[in-house]
Amino acid sequence: MAKFRAENTINGREARLFLNGEEIAYAKSFEATIEKNKADVNILGNRWTGKKTTGLSGTGTVTLYKVTSRFTKMILEYADSGKEVYFTLQGVLDDPGSGRGTERVTLLNCNIDSVKIGQFDVEAEALEEEVPFTFEGAEIPEALKEDF
């Protein structure tokens, strides 16, 4: 069995985020989750409720330093034209100190759920905005190493 070493952990600061191929340098954090949608299946003679996977749904959140109105403009484009704005997000983990390799996670058909239209905070040293979104597909063209 391989022995885990602390140096194999990945420094989260070594990540980068891209929107339609353009790096979002003002991103602070990124998280995406794929959840299985399941239907209950009751079976005669069995007290347990079975589960049947019927599909998937993807949700995520990007936290950004407030330095642009880019995401607000995406929502307003829909408000003005009725045309939805879809985009691709790609998160890249590449910590050269860990030796685990590079992981690229690409999220397809991303669509914003909500944005703050205005924000002020006299106590904040740096304003942040959280942008929740959904996505309809994912790829991992490069993955971290499986063995130590």
Side-chain angles (χ1 to χ4, degrees):
M1 180 165 73
K3 185 174 180 180
F4 177 75
R5 295 176 14 207
E7 67 192 43
N8 285 329
T9 60
I10 297 172
N11 181 349
R13 290 184 177 199
E14 299 291 348
R16 298 181 340 201
L17 184 65
F18 297 84
L19 186 144
N20 293 334
E22 180 184 334
E23 187 169 4
I24 303 176
Y26 51 94
K28 183 177 177 192
S29 67
F30 164 73
E31 180 178 272
T33 303
I34 297 174
E35 186 172 326
K36 287 179 158 183
N37 302 323
K38 296 183 179 184
D40 287 349
V41 178
N42 294 315
I43 302 165
L44 289 174
N46 189 340
R47 291 182 183 91
W48 289 92
T49 299
K51 302 290 182 183
K52 169 71 176 176
T53 300
T54 59
L56 302 168
S57 61
T59 59
T61 304
V62 176
T63 303
L64 311 154
Y65 291 108
K66 180 65 176 174
V67 296
T68 179
S69 299
R70 181 179 199 163
F71 291 93
T72 305
K73 287 180 180 179
M74 287 180 175
I75 292 278
L76 293 177
E77 182 176 332
Y78 171 73
D80 294 341
S81 70
K83 184 175 184 286
E84 275 286 12
V85 178
Y86 289 90
F87 52 93
T88 299
L89 283 174
Q90 184 178 65
V92 180
L93 274 178
D94 188 14
D95 179 359
S98 77
R100 303 303 307 142
T102 300
E103 179 181 70
R104 294 181 193 280
V105 176
T106 304
L107 305 180
L108 309 169
N109 300 315
C110 298
N111 185 260
I112 297 170
D113 291 343
S114 64
V115 294
K116 292 179 183 174
I117 190 73
Q119 178 184 19
F120 302 99
D121 184 349
V122 73
E123 301 293 325
E125 293 181 10
L127 288 177
E128 297 176 5
E129 66 178 327
E130 193 171 275
V131 180
F133 63 91
T134 56
F135 61 95
E136 299 171 6
E139 299 171 347
I140 302 183
E142 284 185 75
L144 298 172
K145 295 177 183 176
E146 293 296 318
D147 61 326
F148 292 100

